[in-house]
């Protein structure tokens, strides 16, 4: 064994750590991480996840609201499903563009040791990605990520608008 953790998701590579509890909940991997990296290893990349959550909420909500106001005020569209879908589409594009660099960095940072790349921090990982592949390296996987965010964004805001209309009655300015 070379000490690398693999998930078995790579073709031809079996998992390097088997769960000994038989529960299938990944407890064997959790125990292995605790023994090899300590409690700190369980929190690797947590800072990026906190920033991701803040960026996700702020970009999605603000871009949805701004787009909706632009459509109703400047394009004279009436507030309804069409405006909500357009605003959701724009929100999903903005959200994906802002989140993709964080997702690529986090994935590369966490998977780095399994492919022989060790980074001191998520920030050093992001710098290395840009150095190796240019700024566009941070947007790898943008289309699949957007394909995941678009439906959830549209559904979230359609449901939100219907609930708001039922509970409040009108748009709060």
């Amino acid at each position: 064994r070379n000490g690398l953790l693999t998930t078995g998701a790579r073709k031809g590579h079996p998992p390097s750590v088997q769960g000994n509890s038989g529960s299938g909940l990944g407890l064997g991997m959790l125990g292995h991480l605790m023994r090899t990296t300590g409690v700190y290893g369980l929190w690797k990349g947590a800072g990026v996840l906190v920033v991701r959550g803040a960026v996700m909420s702020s970009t999605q909500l603000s871009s949805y609201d701004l787009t909706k106001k632009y459509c109703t005020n400047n394009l004279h569209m009436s507030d309804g499903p069409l405006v909500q879908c357009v605003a959701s589409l724009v929100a999903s594009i903005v959200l994906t563009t802002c989140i993709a660099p964080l997702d690529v960095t986090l994935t590369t940072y966490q998977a780095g040791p399994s492919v022989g790349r060790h980074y001191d921090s998520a920030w050093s990982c992001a710098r290395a990605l840009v150095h190796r592949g240019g700024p566009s390296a941070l947007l790898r996987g943008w289309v699949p990520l957007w394909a995941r965010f678009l439906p959830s964004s549209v559904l979230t805001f359609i449901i939100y608008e219907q609930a708001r209309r039922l509970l409040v009655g009108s748009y709060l300015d």
Side-chain angles (χ1 to χ4, degrees):
R1 295 217 181 222
N2 59 8
L4 297 179
L5 301 177
T6 58
T7 64
R10 296 184 322 173
K11 185 176 179 180
H13 295 273
S16 63
V17 176
Q18 299 292 328
N20 54 8
S21 65
S23 66
L25 299 176
L27 297 178
M29 180 59 78
L30 183 63
H32 179 77
L33 283 172
M34 286 290 292
R35 285 189 302 278
T36 58
T37 63
V39 174
Y40 178 75
L42 299 176
W43 294 96
K44 183 176 183 175
V48 177
L49 284 174
V50 170
V51 171
R52 182 187 188 273
V55 168
M56 178 180 269
S57 296
S58 62
T59 58
Q60 187 178 29
L61 294 172
S62 61
S63 60
Y64 174 82
D65 195 49
L66 289 171
T67 304
K68 187 175 164 190
K69 281 186 179 183
Y70 181 83
C71 287
T72 55
N73 294 344
N74 296 5
L75 301 179
H76 308 293
M77 297 171 73
S78 61
D79 186 7
L82 177 62
V83 168
Q84 294 160 10
C85 286
V86 168
S88 295
L89 171 71
V90 172
S92 69
I93 292 169
V94 172
L95 166 68
T96 304
T97 304
C98 293
I99 290 295
L102 298 170
D103 280 1
V104 169
T105 299
L106 180 63
T107 302
T108 306
Y109 177 57
Q110 289 179 329
S114 66
V115 294
R117 292 196 172 130
H118 298 275
Y119 303 101
D120 294 331
S121 66
W123 180 245
S124 68
C125 177
R127 285 194 316 259
L129 281 167
V130 171
H131 179 73
R132 282 194 307 269
S136 65
L138 295 175
L139 295 175
R140 283 186 310 206
W142 189 96
V143 171
L145 187 62
W146 179 65
R148 193 181 96 204
F149 283 142
L150 177 62
S152 65
S153 184
V154 170
L155 288 174
T156 296
F157 286 116
I158 294 290
I159 292 168
Y160 163 76
E161 291 289 349
Q162 296 305 313
R164 182 194 50 76
R165 186 163 284 120
L166 285 172
L167 298 173
V168 179
S170 65
Y171 191 70
L172 301 174
D173 279 328

